[in-house]
């Protein structure tokens, strides 16, 4: 174990929305800051499903951290795995044994997929939480199409092939809709109709409706559009077991499936729960309204590592917008700490939330009043909001070009060259 000699005033663990936003604010103020993440890039998680469905290349949803902070030299980016956090001592240990310390510690370490103890899920299901997850899943889907095409070319009959998505929240609904649309509209451009007809997408969730956070009207719209795309819904039904060849549902039905996609929930990174702080719901750390951890002066928790209060006795949802705003707010409070002035309570500016279901089909609840939109207007809003939220001009431009190409031509270069992404 090596103790690193440094003059960092702040250490940030995790370079997701929250960690990067905090580091940006501190970098602007020229505060010596160490930003640690296992990846050398920051990823835009809301669009990972589009990488998996070949609508966007990985480079459009990931931005190199050193490029982000090139003009902020006071922020040092360290690519390393954090193996231990000591909140009381304000120290962080990385995988080479080096220990870093600073007066202020920001825990924004993100989350891992929560399989809820489902037998076989960790071994056989495809998660969707990282760029590598999405490229691996995308390659696996294309591989199934390739195998089916080879059988058709050999004159063999195709057995029905299922793709199962577990979890009917926004990620699961967007993933199921994207794959179904790929099967219906894109596969016939590259493969035979027999390949298209062989594949069916299933969406399973213990909840009795899709998109739980949305209003009943938007849930109904989403459900009907998924069914129009050919998605088979298994609502009020949990997955009891995942195997290499499929799943067993709680109603006893067995679905043979070479691909099972897990969109069933998240849990804070294990290292967060081992920081010497009693974790709250979801393994996350409960925080004060100013984003500090109770009883640990100089320690902040953000993003998927934190349960952030909304001021009305509830916890804010785990949205990218919440994380991004909280990161910037934490940066301001840290500057207040350094100046000896008063921290302020975090105020989340609720712009609503939205989910894409397919081409010209989305649902949205916009603004504090959560005005309801669906169909083409929500679709256009989804495109605009997500393009603006991308980290820089390059991915914004590239994503827009890819979306326009996909909409007008149903041509997906990433789909055609999918073999290159296989891992």
């Amino acid at each position: 174990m090596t103790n690193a000699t440094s003059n960092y005033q702040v250490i940030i663990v995790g370079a997701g929305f929250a960690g990067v936003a905090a580091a940006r604010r501190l970098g602007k103020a020229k505060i010596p800051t160490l930003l640690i993440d296992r990846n050398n890039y920051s990823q835009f998680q809301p669009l990972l499903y589009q990488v998996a469905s070949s609508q966007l290349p990985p480079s459009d949803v990931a931005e190199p951290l050193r490029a982000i902070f090139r003009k902020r030299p006071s922020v040092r980016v360290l690519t390393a795995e954090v193996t231990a956090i000591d909140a009381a001592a304000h120290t962080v240990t990385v995988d080479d044994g080096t220990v870093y310390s600073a007066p202020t510690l920001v825990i924004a370490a993100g989350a891992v997929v929560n399989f809820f103890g489902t037998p076989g899920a960790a071994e056989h299901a495809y998660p969707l939480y990282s760029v590598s997850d999405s490229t691996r899943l995308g390659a696996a889907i294309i591989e199934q199409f390739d195998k089916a095409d080879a059988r058709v070319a050999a004159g063999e009959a195709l057995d029905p092939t299922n793709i199962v998505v577990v979890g009917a929240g926004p990620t699961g609904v967007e993933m199921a809709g994207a794959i179904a649309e790929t099967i219906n509209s894109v596969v016939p451009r590259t493969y035979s109709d027999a390949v298209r007809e062989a594949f069916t997408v299933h969406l399973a969730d213990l909840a009795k409706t899709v998109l739980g956070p949305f209003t009943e009207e938007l849930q109904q719209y989403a459900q009907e559009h998924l069914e129009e795309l050919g998605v088979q819904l298994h609502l009020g039904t949990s997955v009891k077991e995942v195997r290499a060849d499929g799943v067993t549902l709680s109603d006893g039905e067995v679905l043979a499936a070479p691909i099972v996609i897990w969109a069933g929930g998240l849990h804070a990174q294990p290292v967060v729960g081992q920081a010497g702080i009693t974790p709250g719901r979801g393994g996350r750390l409960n925080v004060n309204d100013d984003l500090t951890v109770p009883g640990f002066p100089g320690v902040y928790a953000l993003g998927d590592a934190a349960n952030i209060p909304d001021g009305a006795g509830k916890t804010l949802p785990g949205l990218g917008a919440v994380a991004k705003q909280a990161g910037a707010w934490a940066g301001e409070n840290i500057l207040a700490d350094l100046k000896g002035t008063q921290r302020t309570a975090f105020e989340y500016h609720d712009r609503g939330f939205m989910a894409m279901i397919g081409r010209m089909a989305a649902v949205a609840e916009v603004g504090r009043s959560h005005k309801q939109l669906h169909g083409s207007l929500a679709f256009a809003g989804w495109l605009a909001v997500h393009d603006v939220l991308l980290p820089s001009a390059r991915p914004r431009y590239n994503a827009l070009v890819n979306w326009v190409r996909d909409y007008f031509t149903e041509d997906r270069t990433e789909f055609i060259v999918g073999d290159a992404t296989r891992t």
Side-chain angles (χ1 to χ4, degrees), residues 120-180:
E123 294 81 9
H124 303 300
Y126 288 83
L128 193 61
Y129 190 69
S130 68
V131 172
S132 59
D133 287 343
S134 59
T135 54
R136 187 170 72 96
L137 172 56
I141 293 171
I142 294 172
E143 184 177 20
Q144 291 302 315
F145 296 149
D146 287 346
K147 287 181 177 179
D149 186 62
R151 293 188 64 183
V152 171
E156 301 177 20
L158 293 181
D159 295 326
T161 303
N162 299 313
I163 296 175
V164 177
V165 180
V166 182
T171 299
V173 165
E174 291 183 329
M175 188 76 257
I179 298 175

Side-chain angles (χ1 to χ4, degrees), residues 323-411:
K324 194 170 184 178
Q325 290 182 39
W329 200 285
E332 292 290 349
N333 277 347
I334 292 169
L335 294 178
D337 290 339
L338 295 174
K339 295 174 184 176
T341 58
Q342 188 70 32
R343 293 188 295 268
T344 59
F346 175 52
E347 296 179 10
Y348 172 54
H349 297 285
D350 186 358
R351 298 184 177 92
F353 41 84
M354 51 185 58
M356 172 82 79
I357 308 166
R359 189 184 305 272
M360 295 300 290
V363 292
E365 295 187 25
V366 182
R368 287 186 177 275
S369 63
H370 283 210
K371 179 179 175 58
Q372 297 179 43
L373 301 174
H374 61 74
S376 58
L377 189 58
F379 176 81
W382 186 98
L383 293 178
V385 167
H386 284 75
D387 195 59
V388 168
L389 287 175
L390 283 165
S392 68
R394 181 196 58 80
R396 288 180 200 133
Y397 172 78
N398 290 343
L400 189 60
V401 169
N402 277 299
W403 284 332
V404 170
R405 181 193 64 189
D406 180 51
Y407 176 76
F408 284 107
T409 70
E410 296 178 347
D411 175 22

